[in-house]
Amino acid sequence: MRGRAELTSPSRGTVPIMSSSLLTAMRNPVIRASMLAIFLFGFGGAATSPYQSVVGITELGLSDAFYSALIFVAALINVVVSVTVGIVADRVGNYRTLMLAVILFGVVGYGMVYAWPTKPSFVLATLLLLPIYGALNSLLFAYVRTAANDMGGRDAAAVNSAVRAAISLSWVLVPGLVGFVLSARGSMLPAYLLASLGCAANLILVAFLLPHKAGVDPALGKRLSYLASLAEILSPRVLGRLIAIALISSTLHVNAAVLPLIVTGAAGGTATDIGMVVGVVALLEVVFILVWARIQYRLGHVEALALGTAVYVVYMALLGFSDRPWHIYALTLVSGFGAAALISIPITYLQDLIADRPGLGSSLIAVNIFLGGALSAALFAIGTRFSDYSGTALLGATAGLLGLVLLLMLDGKRARVPAS
């Protein structure tokens, strides 16, 4: 049935090995250009996110409460815009024009904060311009999905993994480089200039290197109203799976919150240890994302995601019991391996939930990010209210386990049925 996820494992006797598909994808100039575009998209976030709170609170004088509310509303706006843009993209059948439009919001948003560093400019950029720019993430993955479909469709997982690795690579390389550039300055604002220049480079790349590509027959999208598309997202079939993936994804956010606190608290480490651990895990993620692409090509999305979730749940549980710095370092391999699955495999899984409309299906990525972040905030609040940071890590592991159980309840049987 169109729109339903194809969650079965590929027949091992009828498909080539995943590495061949990945090499084929990498030889495709559209895929290579898309990887560079997604790297440049990641560049903006990686350049500014580590310093956003410093700029907003310390340099511009926003209160902690106002900043927290600003970030929450901005995340909500990003979800609404991503879904809306995805629906529009499927209706008009043109991803590149919409990508160019949202990239302009990034150029202006980042550039405005640097050129006019005031509270109003920061709030306008953070609340409206940059959330609209954030819709580029879903549009790029929708564009890549159509390119993968042109290659035969079954290469989607390999292509998505390669493109997702480009974002991780930006987070490995960019924060350190930007930190080096800013080390001799008293302000973090130049990070926004660098991000704006990165958006400008992406604008040129998309305009001249990405060909026009229609994801669906525009007549299909035009038959479905905006409300009908929203109703499909909220249907039990899609919503139940979104909740499962959000529970699983929330473990990543919980880890990001508690890891530094456990390192410098229960484990007795230092700020240097935090930087080392985060850097090592980020580098491992880039490598392991490609490993998971091979695994999911052989096992199928559900089985691979279930395995990756189990690994990460074990990591979170062990993190909760860590009380020495070497414990944290020893867990980097487990963390990197599990996290690579949780940041790459859900992309293809979510797209396949509404497979006949790549724009709307890819917008579920933004919905999942928001739901996962909201769940992690609730878990952190509950965990720190009734326990300590180590207990909160265990609570995060429990949420991941619940997500895994729900995923297997919904799709476990289908995942074990061989492809016809």
Side-chain angles (χ1 to χ4, degrees):
M1 180 179 295
R2 297 187 73 181
R4 287 185 176 271
E6 293 297 332
L7 302 173
T8 55
S9 300
S11 173
R12 289 155 178 79
T14 60
V15 297
I17 61 173
M18 174 267 161
S19 57
S20 175
S21 295
L22 185 57
L23 289 174
T24 300
M26 293 297 292
R27 285 195 291 266
N28 187 316
V30 174
I31 300 300
R32 291 200 304 269
S34 298
M35 288 181 66
L36 182 54
I38 204 76
F39 176 87
L40 289 172
F41 170 78
F43 181 97
T48 58
S49 291
Y51 311 108
Q52 180 174 272
S53 59
V54 176
V55 170
I57 296 173
T58 304
E59 297 195 30
L60 300 181
L62 298 178
S63 68
D64 293 342
F66 183 85
Y67 178 80
S68 298
L70 179 67
I71 297 304
F72 175 79
V73 176
L76 184 58
I77 291 175
N78 173 248
V79 173
V80 174
V81 172
S82 295
V83 172
T84 301
V85 169
I87 293 171
V88 172
D90 290 335
R91 287 177 65 85
V92 303
N94 189 332
Y95 296 127
R96 192 181 66 172
T97 299
L98 288 170
M99 284 192 280
L100 292 172
V102 299
I103 292 174
L104 281 174
F105 281 91
V107 174
V108 175
Y110 286 123
M112 184 173 66
V113 173
Y114 173 75
W116 297 283
T118 63
K119 289 181 182 179
S121 66
F122 183 86
V123 170
L124 177 61
T126 305
L127 189 63
L128 183 61
L129 301 182
L130 296 182
I132 294 175
Y133 168 66
L136 178 64
N137 183 52
S138 298
L139 283 173
L140 279 169
F141 275 106
Y143 183 90
V144 167
R145 180 57 182 262
T146 63
N149 289 341
D150 291 343
M151 297 165 59
R154 66 190 178 195
D155 296 308
V159 171
N160 278 339
S161 295
V163 173
R164 183 59 182 82
I167 297 182
S168 294
L169 186 61
S170 69
W171 279 88
V172 171
L173 299 177
V174 174
L177 293 174
V178 173
F180 176 77
V181 171
L182 300 182
S183 60
R185 299 175 179 269
S187 171
M188 302 293 105
L189 283 168
Y192 282 81
L193 173 61
L194 295 175
S196 181
L197 293 175
C199 290
N202 212 3
L203 187 70
I204 295 172
L205 184 151
V206 171
F208 293 101
L209 293 183
L210 289 187
H212 166 73
K213 188 174 292 295
V216 297
D217 179 359
L220 171 64
K222 290 177 181 177
R223 287 199 301 268
L224 298 170
S225 67
Y226 182 83
L227 291 179
S229 298
L230 288 181
E232 184 160 5
I233 293 178
L234 297 175
S235 67
R237 180 184 68 83
V238 175
L239 186 59
R241 289 166 173 83
L242 269 175
I243 293 173
I245 300 301
L247 281 166
I248 292 170
S249 299
S250 70
T251 59
L252 294 169
H253 299 283
V254 172
N255 176 70
V258 302
L259 176 63
L261 300 168
I262 291 176
V263 169
T264 56
T270 66
T272 301
D273 292 316
I274 297 173
M276 289 290 292
V277 169
V278 171
V280 169
V281 170
L283 184 60
L284 289 172
E285 286 174 1
V286 176
V287 177
F288 285 140
I289 282 174
L290 301 180
V291 174
W292 278 108
R294 185 184 186 94
I295 292 173
Q296 70 172 312
Y297 197 86
R298 292 183 177 277
L299 294 182
H301 306 327
V302 175
E303 291 177 329
L305 181 55
L307 177 59
T309 302
V311 170
Y312 206 73
V313 165
V314 170
Y315 157 72
M316 290 293 290
L318 293 175
L319 177 64
F321 290 107
S322 298
D323 58 7
R324 296 288 188 279
W326 72 266
H327 293 169
I328 308 295
Y329 282 99
L331 289 174
T332 54
L333 273 174
V334 184
S335 174
F337 187 60
L342 269 56
I343 64 179
S344 61
I345 299 176
I347 293 173
T348 305
Y349 177 88
L350 292 170
Q351 287 178 321
D352 281 350
L353 292 180
I354 311 177
D356 55 354
R357 278 168 289 158
L360 183 60
S362 296
S363 73
L364 297 180
I365 299 170
V367 176
N368 176 62
I369 292 173
F370 176 78
L371 290 178
L375 283 171
S376 70
L379 291 169
F380 185 82
I382 295 171
T384 53
R385 173 67 177 83
F386 296 102
S387 182
D388 55 12
Y389 299 128
S390 296
T392 303
L394 295 175
L395 183 61
T398 302
L401 185 60
L402 288 175
L404 173 60
V405 171
L406 180 57
L407 176 71
L408 293 177
M409 286 175 59
L410 292 171
D411 288 320
K413 290 182 180 180
R414 197 185 327 183
R416 290 191 291 272
V417 177
S420 57

